[in-house]
């Protein structure tokens, strides 16, 4: 049986009601390092080229039994089914990706070009996630966050160059990464109070906000 990200997500939904109603400390069960390139097409932001790298514990469980030819390696073909099931499972949760334009939520399209890579003992999910409607490149107020509202899955931006602008971005535009509302230690101490402060969404309190800012000069 594949231990997929979607199965882990299903597990965290099963305990969500208990966590919200009980003074438990927030605690993630899966850790994901996020790298994203904003893709531009014909002068518009068209979507997100993502690489999500999972922690070693999740990786070890997820790849169990998937080395079909027994060579000790996990090829792209051997990981195809796992990639498909994970992408299918993420749909229900909007791929944990929340783009906005001047605080108005933007719809997402269906992901494509998704595949899993096993390198240095770690799994990375690569996929392109389009905006349903592309946004003019220099439009002010474009932001996005990647987070799990329940903090069952801990998303964080990679340490080095986590967000990039692809070719086609206006030269006057740059990335700004905002400081989250709280830190991990605070979330783990506050538990129920943290749920109440952020309306039940622990993850949003820890999520960094990525803004695209373009100078007018």
């Amino acid at each position: 049986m594949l231990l997929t990200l979607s199965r882990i997500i299903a597990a965290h939904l099963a305990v969500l009601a208990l966590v919200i109603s009980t003074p438990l400390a927030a605690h993630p069960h899966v850790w994901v390092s996020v790298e994203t390139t904003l893709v531009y097409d014909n002068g518009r932001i068209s979507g997100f080229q993502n690489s999500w790298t999972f922690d070693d514990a999740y990786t070890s469980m997820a790849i169990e039994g998937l080395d079909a030819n027994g060579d000790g390696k996990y090829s792209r073909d051997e990981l195809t089914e796992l990639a498909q099931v994970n992408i299918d499972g993420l749909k229900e949760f909007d791929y944990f990706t929340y783009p906005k334009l001047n605080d108005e939520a933007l719809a997402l399209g269906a992901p494509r070009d998704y595949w899993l890579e096993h390198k240095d003992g770690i799994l990375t999910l690569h996929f392109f996630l389009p905006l349903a409607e592309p946004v003019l490149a220099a439009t002010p107020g474009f932001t996005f966050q990647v987070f799990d509202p329940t903090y069952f899955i801990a998303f964080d931006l990679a340490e080095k160059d986590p967000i990039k602008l692809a070719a086609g971005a206006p030269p006057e535009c740059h990335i700004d990464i905002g400081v989250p509302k709280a830190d991990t230690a605070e979330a783990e101490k506050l538990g129920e109070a943290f749920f109440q402060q952020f309306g039940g969404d622990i993850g949003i309190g820890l999520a960094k906000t990525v803004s695209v800012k373009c100078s007018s000069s």
Side-chain angles (χ1 to χ4, degrees):
M1 179 182 294
L2 294 176
L3 183 58
T4 64
L5 184 59
S6 57
R7 290 184 183 277
I8 291 176
I9 293 169
H12 96 344
L13 287 178
V15 301
L16 180 57
L18 176 64
V19 174
I20 293 176
S21 61
T22 307
L24 299 175
H27 180 68
H29 292 69
V30 181
W31 286 259
V32 180
S33 178
V34 175
E35 295 180 62
T36 296
T37 298
L38 281 173
V39 177
Y40 289 77
D41 184 26
N42 293 323
R44 297 173 182 267
I45 302 172
S46 61
F48 311 90
Q49 182 62 53
N50 293 310
S51 294
W52 288 2
T53 299
F54 300 97
D55 64 88
D56 53 0
Y58 168 75
T59 294
S60 296
M61 293 185 292
I63 64 175
E64 186 175 354
L66 298 185
D67 182 13
N69 60 11
D71 66 354
K73 301 177 182 179
Y74 297 86
S75 67
R76 183 165 169 171
D77 286 343
E78 288 172 323
L79 297 172
T80 296
E81 182 181 358
L82 179 61
Q84 182 66 62
V85 175
N86 280 340
I87 287 292
D88 291 344
L90 288 168
K91 180 179 180 180
E92 182 178 352
F93 305 94
D94 295 321
Y95 309 97
F96 296 115
T97 301
Y98 303 93
K100 292 183 178 180
L101 188 61
N102 297 317
D103 293 328
E104 181 178 349
L106 299 174
L108 296 166
R112 60 179 185 266
D113 302 328
Y114 44 85
W115 59 285
L116 275 166
E117 176 185 25
H118 185 261
K119 184 178 180 181
D120 298 328
I122 298 295
L123 274 178
T124 299
L125 177 64
H126 303 276
F127 65 106
F128 177 69
L129 183 62
L131 292 168
E133 295 291 338
V135 175
L136 283 172
T139 301
F142 180 82
T143 65
F144 73 94
Q145 295 174 297
V146 180
F147 66 92
D148 173 9
T150 70
Y151 198 50
F152 192 94
I153 301 173
F155 290 92
D156 197 7
L157 302 184
E159 292 184 4
K160 184 178 180 180
D161 297 328
I163 311 296
K164 300 177 183 177
L165 301 180
E172 68 273 15
C173 295
H174 67 279
I175 291 293
D176 181 77
I177 299 176
V179 177
K181 297 178 181 178
D183 60 29
T184 303
E186 183 178 358
E188 292 181 349
K189 287 189 297 182
L190 290 179
E192 184 179 26
F194 201 85
F195 265 113
Q196 294 172 353
Q197 179 182 357
F198 292 105
D201 290 350
I202 285 181
I204 194 171
L206 300 172
K208 296 173 182 175
T209 300
V210 179
S211 304
V212 179
K213 296 185 177 181
C214 304
S215 62
S216 56
S217 57

